[in-house]
Amino acid sequence: MSNPQHIVILTGAGISAESGIQTFRDAGGLWEGHAVEQVATPEGFAADPVLVHRFYNLRRAALRDVKPNAAHIALGELQAEFGGRVTLVTQNVDDLHERGGSKDVIHMHGELLSAFCTACDHHWRQAEDLTVETPCPACQTRGGPRPDIVWFGEMPYEMDRIEYALQSCDLFVSIGTSGAVYPAAGFVQLAHVHGARTLELNLEPSQGSAFFSETRHGPATRLVPEWVAPLL
Ligand code: BJW
């Protein structure tokens, strides 16, 4: 089979698992210890912002102790050296793709190291803890700032750019995601109906495995470098 010209890659929590970041739905995952509606919905934040800030402050702090793994690094090399186009879309809110060498990453579910103000919509880089007392650096409103994370019921970022890429790619690759959350879970079908080949790289069959033309199962740190090497 000839080399693809435009690859769209979707990553999920599984690609960061071997760096020591918890996934959501695996045994011992984040959703086992937390009620989703309390920490990952706008209603949960309105009801208890202190609890939600604490949840994200802990995860932001944990980022300082982790490093990108061989899968992030292989995708960074692919973006830098591949002859065609690579669009990298991640559902992850960590910064391990960037630290693994990727330059243009679409964070469709937001970023732990970003915040925005619900009063004036100013967005900024937030590396330290956020609290209900943190003032917005633009309008000074206290209680306005919130984590820049896409919660359930909210519109993911850059959907127009993502959908355009899915309609024009000739290979779609999904890495380390359970296929449980939409709209990302529907990307494989969108790419397929527009003529792309589709490949899943995941530890085990995901909820969407049946929609892929090819699936490979195993840890991302092995599967991703093995897939990237022949393309370079
Ligand atoms: C490894 C590995 C290793 C492990 N190597 N692999 C009913 C039907 C359909 C849809 C809906 C519905 N009711 C509501 C909805 C919509 C809703 C939704 O999908 N709900 C589902 C629960 C059904 N979606 C939304 O609300 C989204 N917004 C939306 O739809 O807006 C409207 C819209 C309309 C039209 C167009 C566009 C938009 C927003 C979703 C926001 C998701 N946010 C979260 C939380 C963020 C907060 C936080 O981070 O704390 O994002 S949910 C959580 O799940 C997080 C993740 O990004 C996301 C996906 O999880 P992921 O990455 O797949 O992780 P896991 O844990 O599920 O899976 C890990 C996988 O890795 C597993 O398969 C492992 O096997 C594998 N793995 N180790 C390789 N070493």
Side-chain angles (χ1 to χ4, degrees), residues 160-179:
D160 288 350
R161 190 176 159 204
I162 297 169
E163 283 171 5
Y164 182 74
L166 289 166
Q167 289 163 14
S168 59
C169 70
D170 50 2
L171 176 62
F172 171 72
V173 185
S174 171
I175 303 171
T177 176
S178 60

Side-chain angles (χ1 to χ4, degrees), residues 17-221:
E18 292 164 86
S19 290
I21 296 186
Q22 273 180 296
T23 59
F24 294 91
R25 294 169 185 82
D26 296 310
L30 270 170
W31 291 162
E32 222 174 61
H34 296 90
V36 179
E37 58 283 359
Q38 279 184 331
V39 295
T41 62
E43 295 78 15
F45 183 61
D48 194 345
V50 173
L51 172 89
V52 175
H53 278 311
R54 193 184 314 131
F55 176 71
Y56 288 98
N57 287 341
L58 286 170
R59 291 177 56 201
R60 200 178 293 114
L63 275 189
R64 293 180 204 127
D65 301 325
V66 297
K67 291 194 176 75
N69 64 46
H72 300 106
I73 291 166
L75 294 185
E77 288 167 357
L78 182 70
Q79 270 197 317
E81 296 168 29
F82 182 60
R85 216 173 120 201
V86 178
T87 303
L88 179 55
V89 182
T90 188
Q91 298 168 88
N92 298 343
V93 296
D94 64 57
D95 63 343
L96 292 180
H97 281 304
E98 286 85 351
R99 287 200 262 151
S102 287
K103 294 273 180 291
D104 185 12
V105 185
I106 301 176
H107 282 273
M108 65 177 290
H109 290 166
E111 295 178 72
L112 276 172
L113 295 176
S114 176
F116 75 91
C117 176
T118 53
C120 73
D121 200 35
H122 177 63
H123 287 238
W124 66 93
R125 184 180 157 82
Q126 181 71 35
E128 307 303 324
D129 284 0
L130 263 184
T131 74
V132 289
E133 295 301 323
T134 309
C136 166
C139 72
Q140 310 305 323
T141 302
R142 285 177 201 278
R146 60 162 266 189
D148 195 357
I149 303 286
V150 176
W151 287 323
F152 284 107
E154 297 183 323
M155 183 62 83
Y157 287 124
E158 302 206 56
M159 284 306 300
D160 288 350
R161 190 176 159 204
I162 297 169
E163 283 171 5
Y164 182 74
L166 289 166
Q167 289 163 14
S168 59
C169 70
D170 50 2
L171 176 62
F172 171 72
V173 185
S174 171
I175 303 171
T177 176
S178 60
V181 175
Y182 286 84
F187 290 175
V188 57
Q189 286 146 298
L190 183 58
H192 172 74
V193 297
H194 285 87
R197 234 171 6 111
T198 57
L199 168 66
E200 172 175 84
L201 306 178
N202 205 51
L203 193 58
E204 58 195 7
S206 73
Q207 290 187 27
S209 277
F211 297 115
F212 288 85
S213 24
E214 185 186 345
T215 56
R216 299 180 194 171
H217 297 134
T221 54

